Amino acid sequence: MSASSLLDLFESGGGAEKKGTYVEVVLPLPLAKLYTYSVPFHLKEWLQKGVRVEVQLGRQGRYAGLVYSITEEKPAYQTRPIISVLDDFPVVTEEQFRLWEWMSTYYLCSMGELMAAALPAGLKLAGESKLLLAENYEAKPWMQLHQELPGDEALVIEQLQKKRELSLSDIQRMLKLKSVHKLVKSLLDKQLVQLKEELQERYKPKMEDWVALAPPYELNNPSSIKEAFDVIGSRAHKQIDTLMAFMQLGREQKEVRKKELYERAKIDSALLKKLVDKGIFSIYQKELSRLDDYDGEAEGNYALSEQQQQAYESCLQHFADKKAVLLHGVTGSGKTQVFVELMEHYIGQGQQVLYLLPEIALTAQIVGRLQKHFGDQILVYHSKFNNNERVEIWRAVQEGVPIILGARSALLLPFQSLGLILVDEEHDPSYKQQDPAPRYNARDTAVFMAHLHGANILLGSATPSLESYQNALEEKYALVQLDQRFGGLALPKIEIVDLGEQQREKRMHGIFSGHLLDALKETLANGEQAILFQNRRGYAPLYRCKSCGWTTECKDCDVSLTYHKYSNNLRCHYCGYQRSLPKSCDACGSHELEIIGFGTEKIEDELQIFLPDARLERMDWDTVRGKNGHDRLINRFADGQIDVLIGTQMVTKGLDFDNVGLVAVLSADQMLQFPDFRANERAFQLMTQVAGRAGRKKKQGRVLIQAYQAEHEILREVLQHNFQQFQQRELAERRSFKYPPFQRLIKIQFKHKKRDQLLMAAEWGAKFLQSRLGDRVLGPAEPSISRVRTYYLMDLLIKLGRGGKSLRAAKDKIRDMQELLRQKDGLSGLRVVIDVDPY
Ligand SMILES: Nc1ncnc2c1ncn2[C@@H]1O[C@H](COP(=O)(O)OP(=O)(O)OP(=O)(O)O)[C@@H](O)[C@H]1O
Ligand SMILES: [Zn+2]
């Protein structure tokens, strides 16, 4: 403490009046409650809500916890003192705490789980955290270290030079310090060390070269430009052209990529070097998110079409009434453009915009488009960033960066002046987090969050979720529609190919109907591209014995293994288990084994036989796993280097290509048969979305859907682009069978490695809840996949009315059940997973 603050203390009559003898602290752990610590006198003045404090938790070690409240009330138990205060300013805002409270109540998770999900690892130091030297650190002699650093820091670095890694507890022991967090934070800030987990998720930033005028030349200063031309001299024509090209680009956009200058001026690096040597240009590097190497056409400042303009204006009107808006715009109607205008509007007023996308890696194209438009006003947040970068983004958001673009977890950032939230592709199931807790739906949470910040919210989709659509029908949300494609193009023409009929007429060629092969050939002959969709990766989903029907199953999960031809093995798509192909049937010993069904790999394989000259590529988790794999494929397809793109649902997500003449769904049946009350909705959305990739720019596209159930109502509705009929029929069914959006569901999953114990626990839990909530509790029942990663599973389903009261009552009972199960003997190893609004 400095002398002056001592003096202040003295003058204010000492510490006796200081408030805050105890603090409630959130720890980044799945603990049911908050912990109270006492505050030593000398730390009181540093305390405020939202700062981190270092505390000891049982024998588990030390953690950085968050001050949730400051109180005079002494808890019933003996408290420990906090060890140190880590921040000068709160790292978590008041709104964030309120959002966490809401989420923990609604989704039945703990504040600690929310803290763990929200805070970047660098803000969550714990005793077991391991420290390494920074990657570019060069070892220094002892003497030099001690000259440059305070004694303790030098010692730590010296040790690290010898030992490679140290845990925070090691350091604490070594230095005999009470608290190491301040020291570690200082080393982190100096970028001398890094936390170990960063290495595991190492993300190499990508650097790209940009070109600027070297000082003193300035684009907006004509006399300086004239000077530049003089320096070049009148005979160096190519160099003059290059400067002109640069000026053109510089007027179109804020900064100029080297690559773009090369293209525009048709020059190479040798020529640019000449201009750099003459002092006309300088080159600088900028770190780009790996997402923005999409090189589509530059997104200029398009004027909105009349329909887009109307949509934009009615959004603003509804926003003025504080209404959430559902923007239902058909595929290719230019929803993104409306978003852009709205974003401009809000950042123009100095407010922040949060743009949510379902899966950021799969929407790189949109990210690229927006980055081109907004430049460095936009920050992208996603899980591939390393810890330092995440901390940086956290701080940038706190400092008010205008636009944040991210997947669901971007919702947990510390916004200061949030004005607008956009939820793009709002129907997408990946807005729901499955594992671990918090199991939240980012779309629904965003609606609450907007309310919390007094911000506006827009949900956009070509195929709105029935939840959101019902809200619009009930006028909880305002509905704004775009029913035309941009540029007046017609929606694609869809045909259903009846596979039964094709088979009877002997027109099937393996998995392809004659119809589809003809259409593919015609498309390619026209110089157009095609997309083939099959929602299953791998070669074939079943490897089966011909004589007894035995199939190869995962040893840890209750699913059959998928055959992957490329790696020539069998794999579990639930846990990743792999095994080689069995030579014979395990059950009957027969050597005749066959593969059944097909995935993307087989489509690629067989299609090449029919289209020997076509350039085929596959896009699924197996092919995009590498860094940038997805972007590379998208770019090559956009560039026309690929004729046919074969993929899983990845090919449906918001992609925008100019030259796709044909889209085909290889097998609709599998989607329609899926045992889930959302199967129809999912199927409608997937097919409409993938169909929507056809014919977006030049002429009407064509779509073929292969199916055995050719008469299925969903197919008819997709065929007619009839969202209204789909929505009416499906909502009526949901209403009569008491499913969402008319009822709420809570799924409780019991997991145990021993089946007997699992059954006991599930039965007990069911009885407990049934005696309190009656027949709203269904089960326990074995889910269709009853064992995953060595855990046996049993499900309970609770159906509740939409009223808040019954929901709260039910949640209380569930918490009680959880607590009692925790205390029960003989049930260790039981896990209870609660999923509110499961997807
Ligand atoms: N006002 C405009 N001026 C020029 N081009 C536009 C305009 N609006 C949209 N476009 C173009 O039309 C195409 C479709 O727009 P966009 O991708 O925004 O549609 P979308 O509604 O998001 O479609 P989807 O739901 O299928 O993803 C894009 O290539 C976009 O650049
Ligand atoms: Zn498995």
mmCIF file of all heavy atoms in Angstrom, residues 297 299 302-305 308 329-339 366 369 424-425 461-463 482 485-487 652-658 689 692-693 696-697, ligand 1:
data_model
loop_
_atom_site.group_PDB
_atom_site.id
_atom_site.type_symbol
_atom_site.label_atom_id
_atom_site.label_comp_id
_atom_site.label_asym_id
_atom_site.label_seq_id
_atom_site.Cartn_x
_atom_site.Cartn_y
_atom_site.Cartn_z
ATOM 1 N N GLU A 297 -15.874 -11.665 -54.815
ATOM 2 C CA GLU A 297 -15.880 -10.279 -55.275
ATOM 3 C C GLU A 297 -15.926 -9.372 -54.053
ATOM 4 O O GLU A 297 -16.488 -9.715 -53.036
ATOM 5 C CB GLU A 297 -17.150 -9.996 -56.094
ATOM 6 C CG GLU A 297 -17.288 -10.847 -57.315
ATOM 7 C CD GLU A 297 -18.750 -11.116 -57.630
ATOM 8 O OE1 GLU A 297 -19.565 -10.182 -57.484
ATOM 9 O OE2 GLU A 297 -19.069 -12.248 -58.009
ATOM 10 N N GLU A 299 -17.194 -6.812 -51.617
ATOM 11 C CA GLU A 299 -18.551 -6.413 -51.303
ATOM 12 C C GLU A 299 -18.607 -4.898 -51.263
ATOM 13 O O GLU A 299 -18.087 -4.275 -50.347
ATOM 14 C CB GLU A 299 -18.937 -7.002 -49.950
ATOM 15 C CG GLU A 299 -20.398 -6.953 -49.654
ATOM 16 C CD GLU A 299 -21.118 -8.175 -50.206
ATOM 17 O OE1 GLU A 299 -20.555 -8.911 -51.013
ATOM 18 O OE2 GLU A 299 -22.271 -8.348 -49.826
ATOM 19 N N TYR A 302 -23.624 -1.975 -51.757
ATOM 20 C CA TYR A 302 -24.790 -2.198 -52.601
ATOM 21 C C TYR A 302 -25.962 -1.352 -52.130
ATOM 22 O O TYR A 302 -26.172 -1.184 -50.939
ATOM 23 C CB TYR A 302 -25.224 -3.658 -52.522
ATOM 24 C CG TYR A 302 -24.228 -4.628 -53.069
ATOM 25 C CD1 TYR A 302 -23.984 -5.826 -52.410
ATOM 26 C CD2 TYR A 302 -23.547 -4.364 -54.253
ATOM 27 C CE1 TYR A 302 -23.081 -6.738 -52.917
ATOM 28 C CE2 TYR A 302 -22.649 -5.271 -54.764
ATOM 29 C CZ TYR A 302 -22.411 -6.457 -54.090
ATOM 30 O OH TYR A 302 -21.529 -7.346 -54.588
ATOM 31 N N ALA A 303 -26.738 -0.898 -53.074
ATOM 32 C CA ALA A 303 -28.004 -0.282 -52.696
ATOM 33 C C ALA A 303 -29.003 -1.405 -52.467
ATOM 34 O O ALA A 303 -28.988 -2.411 -53.169
ATOM 35 C CB ALA A 303 -28.479 0.624 -53.821
ATOM 36 N N LEU A 304 -29.858 -1.223 -51.480
ATOM 37 C CA LEU A 304 -30.856 -2.249 -51.226
ATOM 38 C C LEU A 304 -31.905 -2.248 -52.333
ATOM 39 O O LEU A 304 -32.227 -1.198 -52.891
ATOM 40 C CB LEU A 304 -31.543 -1.994 -49.885
ATOM 41 C CG LEU A 304 -30.695 -2.135 -48.629
ATOM 42 C CD1 LEU A 304 -31.566 -1.965 -47.379
ATOM 43 C CD2 LEU A 304 -30.004 -3.486 -48.587
ATOM 44 N N SER A 305 -32.433 -3.424 -52.635
ATOM 45 C CA SER A 305 -33.569 -3.475 -53.558
ATOM 46 C C SER A 305 -34.780 -2.896 -52.828
ATOM 47 O O SER A 305 -34.743 -2.688 -51.616
ATOM 48 C CB SER A 305 -33.857 -4.919 -53.948
ATOM 49 O OG SER A 305 -34.383 -5.608 -52.829
ATOM 50 N N GLN A 308 -35.872 -5.179 -50.085
ATOM 51 C CA GLN A 308 -34.924 -5.157 -48.970
ATOM 52 C C GLN A 308 -35.065 -3.876 -48.154
ATOM 53 O O GLN A 308 -35.037 -3.897 -46.926
ATOM 54 C CB GLN A 308 -33.483 -5.286 -49.493
ATOM 55 C CG GLN A 308 -33.128 -6.683 -49.977
ATOM 56 C CD GLN A 308 -31.782 -6.702 -50.690
ATOM 57 O OE1 GLN A 308 -31.365 -5.710 -51.291
ATOM 58 N NE2 GLN A 308 -31.105 -7.848 -50.649
ATOM 59 N N GLY A 329 -36.733 -14.691 -44.865
ATOM 60 C CA GLY A 329 -36.442 -14.324 -46.251
ATOM 61 C C GLY A 329 -36.016 -15.560 -47.006
ATOM 62 O O GLY A 329 -35.133 -16.291 -46.543
ATOM 63 N N VAL A 330 -36.596 -15.807 -48.157
ATOM 64 C CA VAL A 330 -36.272 -17.027 -48.903
ATOM 65 C C VAL A 330 -34.775 -17.054 -49.215
ATOM 66 O O VAL A 330 -34.093 -16.025 -49.142
ATOM 67 C CB VAL A 330 -37.084 -17.126 -50.219
ATOM 68 C CG1 VAL A 330 -38.576 -17.199 -49.917
ATOM 69 C CG2 VAL A 330 -36.768 -15.959 -51.143
ATOM 70 N N THR A 331 -34.284 -18.248 -49.556
ATOM 71 C CA THR A 331 -32.852 -18.374 -49.841
ATOM 72 C C THR A 331 -32.474 -17.438 -50.979
ATOM 73 O O THR A 331 -33.176 -17.331 -51.974
ATOM 74 C CB THR A 331 -32.487 -19.813 -50.238
ATOM 75 O OG1 THR A 331 -33.284 -20.187 -51.366
ATOM 76 C CG2 THR A 331 -32.711 -20.788 -49.109
ATOM 77 N N GLY A 332 -31.369 -16.730 -50.791
ATOM 78 C CA GLY A 332 -30.898 -15.822 -51.839
ATOM 79 C C GLY A 332 -31.650 -14.504 -51.902
ATOM 80 O O GLY A 332 -31.516 -13.756 -52.862
ATOM 81 N N SER A 333 -32.437 -14.201 -50.858
ATOM 82 C CA SER A 333 -33.193 -12.944 -50.908
ATOM 83 C C SER A 333 -32.330 -11.760 -50.466
ATOM 84 O O SER A 333 -32.741 -10.617 -50.589
ATOM 85 C CB SER A 333 -34.435 -13.046 -50.014
ATOM 86 O OG SER A 333 -34.078 -13.398 -48.706
ATOM 87 N N GLY A 334 -31.145 -12.063 -49.953
ATOM 88 C CA GLY A 334 -30.251 -10.966 -49.567
ATOM 89 C C GLY A 334 -30.462 -10.502 -48.145
ATOM 90 O O GLY A 334 -30.373 -9.312 -47.851
ATOM 91 N N LYS A 335 -30.685 -11.457 -47.254
ATOM 92 C CA LYS A 335 -30.844 -11.107 -45.844
ATOM 93 C C LYS A 335 -29.563 -10.461 -45.309
ATOM 94 O O LYS A 335 -29.610 -9.502 -44.552
ATOM 95 C CB LYS A 335 -31.172 -12.364 -45.013
ATOM 96 C CG LYS A 335 -32.546 -12.941 -45.320
ATOM 97 C CD LYS A 335 -32.857 -14.156 -44.477
ATOM 98 C CE LYS A 335 -32.105 -15.415 -44.891
ATOM 99 N NZ LYS A 335 -32.394 -15.886 -46.245
ATOM 100 N N THR A 336 -28.430 -11.009 -45.762
ATOM 101 C CA THR A 336 -27.157 -10.474 -45.283
ATOM 102 C C THR A 336 -27.053 -8.974 -45.550
ATOM 103 O O THR A 336 -26.530 -8.218 -44.746
ATOM 104 C CB THR A 336 -25.991 -11.196 -45.973
ATOM 105 O OG1 THR A 336 -26.327 -12.580 -46.095
ATOM 106 C CG2 THR A 336 -24.715 -11.054 -45.191
ATOM 107 N N GLN A 337 -27.546 -8.566 -46.709
ATOM 108 C CA GLN A 337 -27.458 -7.147 -47.074
ATOM 109 C C GLN A 337 -28.305 -6.287 -46.134
ATOM 110 O O GLN A 337 -27.900 -5.192 -45.760
ATOM 111 C CB GLN A 337 -27.917 -6.995 -48.536
ATOM 112 C CG GLN A 337 -27.246 -5.861 -49.258
ATOM 113 C CD GLN A 337 -25.722 -5.957 -49.203
ATOM 114 O OE1 GLN A 337 -25.157 -7.044 -49.340
ATOM 115 N NE2 GLN A 337 -25.086 -4.829 -48.970
ATOM 116 N N VAL A 338 -29.448 -6.819 -45.752
ATOM 117 C CA VAL A 338 -30.295 -6.096 -44.794
ATOM 118 C C VAL A 338 -29.581 -6.023 -43.440
ATOM 119 O O VAL A 338 -29.573 -4.986 -42.773
ATOM 120 C CB VAL A 338 -31.670 -6.791 -44.659
ATOM 121 C CG1 VAL A 338 -32.522 -6.108 -43.588
ATOM 122 C CG2 VAL A 338 -32.393 -6.793 -46.000
ATOM 123 N N PHE A 339 -28.941 -7.135 -43.059
ATOM 124 C CA PHE A 339 -28.164 -7.134 -41.813
ATOM 125 C C PHE A 339 -27.101 -6.032 -41.851
ATOM 126 O O PHE A 339 -26.902 -5.318 -40.876
ATOM 127 C CB PHE A 339 -27.443 -8.472 -41.615
ATOM 128 C CG PHE A 339 -28.351 -9.632 -41.276
ATOM 129 C CD1 PHE A 339 -27.822 -10.910 -41.155
ATOM 130 C CD2 PHE A 339 -29.695 -9.454 -41.046
ATOM 131 C CE1 PHE A 339 -28.643 -11.983 -40.838
ATOM 132 C CE2 PHE A 339 -30.525 -10.525 -40.728
ATOM 133 C CZ PHE A 339 -29.984 -11.788 -40.624
ATOM 134 N N ILE A 366 -19.560 -15.799 -45.326
ATOM 135 C CA ILE A 366 -20.254 -14.624 -44.803
ATOM 136 C C ILE A 366 -19.290 -13.776 -43.992
ATOM 137 O O ILE A 366 -19.271 -12.551 -44.102
ATOM 138 C CB ILE A 366 -21.444 -15.041 -43.908
ATOM 139 C CG1 ILE A 366 -22.510 -15.665 -44.793
ATOM 140 C CG2 ILE A 366 -21.993 -13.860 -43.148
ATOM 141 C CD1 ILE A 366 -23.808 -15.912 -44.086
ATOM 142 N N ARG A 369 -17.294 -11.763 -46.295
ATOM 143 C CA ARG A 369 -18.081 -10.662 -46.868
ATOM 144 C C ARG A 369 -18.199 -9.508 -45.885
ATOM 145 O O ARG A 369 -18.041 -8.347 -46.236
ATOM 146 C CB ARG A 369 -19.487 -11.162 -47.205
ATOM 147 C CG ARG A 369 -19.610 -11.716 -48.614
ATOM 148 C CD ARG A 369 -20.867 -12.559 -48.762
ATOM 149 N NE ARG A 369 -22.082 -11.764 -48.912
ATOM 150 C CZ ARG A 369 -23.299 -12.299 -49.032
ATOM 151 N NH1 ARG A 369 -23.455 -13.606 -49.033
ATOM 152 N NH2 ARG A 369 -24.353 -11.538 -49.162
ATOM 153 N N ASP A 424 -28.180 -15.142 -37.190
ATOM 154 C CA ASP A 424 -28.304 -15.584 -38.579
ATOM 155 C C ASP A 424 -28.554 -17.088 -38.608
ATOM 156 O O ASP A 424 -28.036 -17.816 -37.772
ATOM 157 C CB ASP A 424 -26.990 -15.256 -39.315
ATOM 158 C CG ASP A 424 -27.189 -15.205 -40.821
ATOM 159 O OD1 ASP A 424 -28.328 -15.427 -41.289
ATOM 160 O OD2 ASP A 424 -26.198 -14.946 -41.540
ATOM 161 N N GLU A 425 -29.311 -17.555 -39.585
ATOM 162 C CA GLU A 425 -29.673 -18.985 -39.668
ATOM 163 C C GLU A 425 -30.217 -19.443 -38.310
ATOM 164 O O GLU A 425 -29.764 -20.432 -37.739
ATOM 165 C CB GLU A 425 -28.469 -19.850 -40.060
ATOM 166 C CG GLU A 425 -27.637 -19.331 -41.232
ATOM 167 C CD GLU A 425 -28.310 -19.506 -42.586
ATOM 168 O OE1 GLU A 425 -29.431 -20.081 -42.640
ATOM 169 O OE2 GLU A 425 -27.754 -19.043 -43.591
ATOM 170 N N SER A 461 -33.756 -16.182 -41.048
ATOM 171 C CA SER A 461 -33.616 -17.508 -41.662
ATOM 172 C C SER A 461 -34.513 -17.623 -42.887
ATOM 173 O O SER A 461 -35.526 -16.942 -42.996
ATOM 174 C CB SER A 461 -34.005 -18.599 -40.658
ATOM 175 O OG SER A 461 -33.998 -19.855 -41.285
ATOM 176 N N ALA A 462 -34.138 -18.510 -43.792
ATOM 177 C CA ALA A 462 -35.029 -18.860 -44.900
ATOM 178 C C ALA A 462 -35.999 -19.944 -44.461
ATOM 179 O O ALA A 462 -37.028 -20.167 -45.090
ATOM 180 C CB ALA A 462 -34.210 -19.341 -46.092
ATOM 181 N N THR A 463 -35.654 -20.623 -43.367
ATOM 182 C CA THR A 463 -36.491 -21.702 -42.856
ATOM 183 C C THR A 463 -36.590 -21.559 -41.339
ATOM 184 O O THR A 463 -35.947 -22.301 -40.602
ATOM 185 C CB THR A 463 -35.846 -23.067 -43.167
ATOM 186 O OG1 THR A 463 -34.464 -23.019 -42.720
ATOM 187 C CG2 THR A 463 -35.868 -23.403 -44.632
ATOM 188 N N LEU A 482 -39.140 -11.466 -46.723
ATOM 189 C CA LEU A 482 -38.573 -11.209 -48.044
ATOM 190 C C LEU A 482 -38.955 -12.428 -48.875
ATOM 191 O O LEU A 482 -38.447 -13.519 -48.643
ATOM 192 C CB LEU A 482 -37.046 -11.124 -47.977
ATOM 193 C CG LEU A 482 -36.399 -9.901 -47.345
ATOM 194 C CD1 LEU A 482 -34.909 -10.147 -47.124
ATOM 195 C CD2 LEU A 482 -36.590 -8.684 -48.227
ATOM 196 N N ARG A 485 -36.187 -13.661 -54.432
ATOM 197 C CA ARG A 485 -34.737 -13.681 -54.515
ATOM 198 C C ARG A 485 -34.240 -12.329 -54.983
ATOM 199 O O ARG A 485 -34.927 -11.639 -55.738
ATOM 200 C CB ARG A 485 -34.282 -14.742 -55.512
ATOM 201 C CG ARG A 485 -34.301 -16.111 -54.915
ATOM 202 C CD ARG A 485 -33.331 -17.031 -55.579
ATOM 203 N NE ARG A 485 -32.962 -18.057 -54.603
ATOM 204 C CZ ARG A 485 -32.252 -19.123 -54.859
ATOM 205 N NH1 ARG A 485 -31.795 -19.325 -56.082
ATOM 206 N NH2 ARG A 485 -31.955 -19.996 -53.922
ATOM 207 N N PHE A 486 -33.036 -11.990 -54.570
ATOM 208 C CA PHE A 486 -32.477 -10.746 -55.065
ATOM 209 C C PHE A 486 -32.241 -10.852 -56.564
ATOM 210 O O PHE A 486 -31.825 -11.873 -57.070
ATOM 211 C CB PHE A 486 -31.151 -10.423 -54.361
ATOM 212 C CG PHE A 486 -30.539 -9.169 -54.900
ATOM 213 C CD1 PHE A 486 -31.020 -7.934 -54.499
ATOM 214 C CD2 PHE A 486 -29.543 -9.221 -55.863
ATOM 215 C CE1 PHE A 486 -30.501 -6.771 -55.024
ATOM 216 C CE2 PHE A 486 -29.015 -8.055 -56.387
ATOM 217 C CZ PHE A 486 -29.495 -6.839 -55.975
ATOM 218 N N GLY A 487 -32.557 -9.784 -57.278
ATOM 219 C CA GLY A 487 -32.354 -9.777 -58.720
ATOM 220 C C GLY A 487 -33.510 -10.412 -59.480
ATOM 221 O O GLY A 487 -33.406 -10.663 -60.682
ATOM 222 N N THR A 652 -24.769 -27.009 -46.847
ATOM 223 C CA THR A 652 -26.028 -26.268 -46.861
ATOM 224 C C THR A 652 -25.895 -24.899 -46.216
ATOM 225 O O THR A 652 -26.746 -24.048 -46.383
ATOM 226 C CB THR A 652 -27.124 -27.016 -46.076
ATOM 227 O OG1 THR A 652 -26.765 -27.022 -44.691
ATOM 228 C CG2 THR A 652 -27.266 -28.441 -46.556
ATOM 229 N N LYS A 653 -24.823 -24.699 -45.445
ATOM 230 C CA LYS A 653 -24.844 -23.545 -44.548
ATOM 231 C C LYS A 653 -24.516 -22.206 -45.214
ATOM 232 O O LYS A 653 -23.357 -21.861 -45.364
ATOM 233 C CB LYS A 653 -23.897 -23.796 -43.389
ATOM 234 C CG LYS A 653 -24.293 -25.049 -42.653
ATOM 235 C CD LYS A 653 -24.087 -24.967 -41.189
ATOM 236 C CE LYS A 653 -24.632 -26.256 -40.575
ATOM 237 N NZ LYS A 653 -24.785 -26.200 -39.159
ATOM 238 N N GLY A 654 -25.538 -21.500 -45.562
ATOM 239 C CA GLY A 654 -25.398 -20.114 -45.990
ATOM 240 C C GLY A 654 -24.441 -19.845 -47.135
ATOM 241 O O GLY A 654 -24.008 -18.722 -47.320
ATOM 242 N N LEU A 655 -24.094 -20.869 -47.905
ATOM 243 C CA LEU A 655 -23.103 -20.643 -48.948
ATOM 244 C C LEU A 655 -23.718 -19.940 -50.150
ATOM 245 O O LEU A 655 -24.874 -20.124 -50.487
ATOM 246 C CB LEU A 655 -22.474 -21.968 -49.389
ATOM 247 C CG LEU A 655 -21.638 -22.647 -48.300
ATOM 248 C CD1 LEU A 655 -21.202 -24.029 -48.735
ATOM 249 C CD2 LEU A 655 -20.432 -21.793 -47.946
ATOM 250 N N ASP A 656 -22.899 -19.134 -50.788
ATOM 251 C CA ASP A 656 -23.382 -18.299 -51.879
ATOM 252 C C ASP A 656 -22.431 -18.436 -53.069
ATOM 253 O O ASP A 656 -21.348 -17.881 -53.067
ATOM 254 C CB ASP A 656 -23.429 -16.842 -51.380
ATOM 255 C CG ASP A 656 -24.024 -15.897 -52.407
ATOM 256 O OD1 ASP A 656 -25.031 -16.272 -53.040
ATOM 257 O OD2 ASP A 656 -23.476 -14.793 -52.584
ATOM 258 N N PHE A 657 -22.820 -19.242 -54.060
ATOM 259 C CA PHE A 657 -22.003 -19.430 -55.258
ATOM 260 C C PHE A 657 -22.782 -18.923 -56.469
ATOM 261 O O PHE A 657 -24.002 -18.953 -56.499
ATOM 262 C CB PHE A 657 -21.666 -20.910 -55.463
ATOM 263 C CG PHE A 657 -20.907 -21.524 -54.329
ATOM 264 C CD1 PHE A 657 -21.492 -22.480 -53.517
ATOM 265 C CD2 PHE A 657 -19.609 -21.140 -54.052
ATOM 266 C CE1 PHE A 657 -20.804 -23.049 -52.458
ATOM 267 C CE2 PHE A 657 -18.896 -21.705 -52.997
ATOM 268 C CZ PHE A 657 -19.506 -22.664 -52.202
ATOM 269 N N ASP A 658 -22.021 -18.537 -57.483
ATOM 270 C CA ASP A 658 -22.657 -17.948 -58.668
ATOM 271 C C ASP A 658 -23.155 -18.971 -59.669
ATOM 272 O O ASP A 658 -24.072 -18.727 -60.425
ATOM 273 C CB ASP A 658 -21.641 -17.070 -59.411
ATOM 274 C CG ASP A 658 -21.217 -15.887 -58.561
ATOM 275 O OD1 ASP A 658 -21.788 -15.733 -57.471
ATOM 276 O OD2 ASP A 658 -20.332 -15.141 -59.010
ATOM 277 N N GLN A 689 -32.719 -25.596 -47.544
ATOM 278 C CA GLN A 689 -31.449 -24.869 -47.527
ATOM 279 C C GLN A 689 -30.509 -25.341 -48.620
ATOM 280 O O GLN A 689 -29.896 -24.535 -49.317
ATOM 281 C CB GLN A 689 -30.760 -25.021 -46.162
ATOM 282 C CG GLN A 689 -31.453 -24.306 -45.010
ATOM 283 C CD GLN A 689 -31.289 -22.781 -45.054
ATOM 284 O OE1 GLN A 689 -30.490 -22.253 -45.807
ATOM 285 N NE2 GLN A 689 -32.086 -22.088 -44.252
ATOM 286 N N GLY A 692 -31.576 -24.265 -51.895
ATOM 287 C CA GLY A 692 -31.378 -22.836 -52.043
ATOM 288 C C GLY A 692 -29.999 -22.441 -52.538
ATOM 289 O O GLY A 692 -29.760 -21.284 -52.867
ATOM 290 N N ARG A 693 -29.050 -23.398 -52.591
ATOM 291 C CA ARG A 693 -27.722 -23.070 -53.120
ATOM 292 C C ARG A 693 -27.735 -23.035 -54.644
ATOM 293 O O ARG A 693 -26.757 -22.608 -55.256
ATOM 294 C CB ARG A 693 -26.656 -24.087 -52.661
ATOM 295 C CG ARG A 693 -26.451 -24.274 -51.169
ATOM 296 C CD ARG A 693 -26.360 -22.991 -50.419
ATOM 297 N NE ARG A 693 -27.566 -22.821 -49.597
ATOM 298 C CZ ARG A 693 -27.968 -21.655 -49.115
ATOM 299 N NH1 ARG A 693 -27.311 -20.562 -49.357
ATOM 300 N NH2 ARG A 693 -29.073 -21.586 -48.395
ATOM 301 N N ARG A 696 -28.374 -19.038 -57.896
ATOM 302 C CA ARG A 696 -28.489 -17.804 -57.118
ATOM 303 C C ARG A 696 -28.142 -16.550 -57.894
ATOM 304 O O ARG A 696 -28.461 -15.453 -57.457
ATOM 305 C CB ARG A 696 -27.591 -17.893 -55.878
ATOM 306 C CG ARG A 696 -28.126 -18.837 -54.833
ATOM 307 C CD ARG A 696 -27.079 -19.107 -53.773
ATOM 308 N NE ARG A 696 -26.966 -18.036 -52.780
ATOM 309 C CZ ARG A 696 -27.665 -17.966 -51.669
ATOM 310 N NH1 ARG A 696 -28.565 -18.891 -51.407
ATOM 311 N NH2 ARG A 696 -27.477 -16.979 -50.815
ATOM 312 N N LYS A 697 -27.447 -16.674 -59.006
ATOM 313 C CA LYS A 697 -26.980 -15.460 -59.654
ATOM 314 C C LYS A 697 -27.465 -15.287 -61.096
ATOM 315 O O LYS A 697 -27.878 -14.217 -61.496
ATOM 316 C CB LYS A 697 -25.440 -15.411 -59.633
ATOM 317 C CG LYS A 697 -24.860 -14.864 -58.342
ATOM 318 C CD LYS A 697 -24.985 -13.362 -58.234
ATOM 319 C CE LYS A 697 -24.774 -12.818 -56.827
ATOM 320 N NZ LYS A 697 -23.414 -12.948 -56.342
HETATM 321 N N1 LIG B 1 -28.822 -5.168 -52.614
HETATM 322 C C1 LIG B 1 -28.015 -5.999 -53.257
HETATM 323 N N2 LIG B 1 -27.209 -5.581 -54.270
HETATM 324 C C2 LIG B 1 -26.394 -6.454 -54.906
HETATM 325 N N3 LIG B 1 -26.322 -7.761 -54.648
HETATM 326 C C3 LIG B 1 -27.094 -8.246 -53.662
HETATM 327 C C4 LIG B 1 -27.972 -7.406 -52.913
HETATM 328 N N4 LIG B 1 -28.617 -8.171 -52.025
HETATM 329 C C5 LIG B 1 -28.156 -9.421 -52.183
HETATM 330 N N5 LIG B 1 -27.244 -9.481 -53.186
HETATM 331 C C6 LIG B 1 -26.546 -10.679 -53.626
HETATM 332 O O1 LIG B 1 -27.461 -11.753 -53.722
HETATM 333 C C7 LIG B 1 -26.897 -12.962 -53.237
HETATM 334 C C8 LIG B 1 -27.751 -13.559 -52.163
HETATM 335 O O2 LIG B 1 -27.721 -12.759 -51.011
HETATM 336 P P1 LIG B 1 -27.506 -13.371 -49.553
HETATM 337 O O3 LIG B 1 -26.406 -14.358 -49.570
HETATM 338 O O4 LIG B 1 -27.442 -12.241 -48.609
HETATM 339 O O5 LIG B 1 -28.865 -14.123 -49.372
HETATM 340 P P2 LIG B 1 -29.490 -14.760 -48.084
HETATM 341 O O6 LIG B 1 -30.845 -14.212 -47.944
HETATM 342 O O7 LIG B 1 -28.573 -14.650 -46.936
HETATM 343 O O8 LIG B 1 -29.597 -16.246 -48.568
HETATM 344 P P3 LIG B 1 -29.470 -17.646 -47.795
HETATM 345 O O9 LIG B 1 -30.527 -17.703 -46.759
HETATM 346 O O10 LIG B 1 -29.684 -18.611 -48.890
HETATM 347 O O11 LIG B 1 -28.077 -17.722 -47.228
HETATM 348 C C9 LIG B 1 -25.501 -12.622 -52.767
HETATM 349 O O12 LIG B 1 -24.577 -12.998 -53.753
HETATM 350 C C10 LIG B 1 -25.539 -11.121 -52.579
HETATM 351 O O13 LIG B 1 -24.270 -10.560 -52.793
#
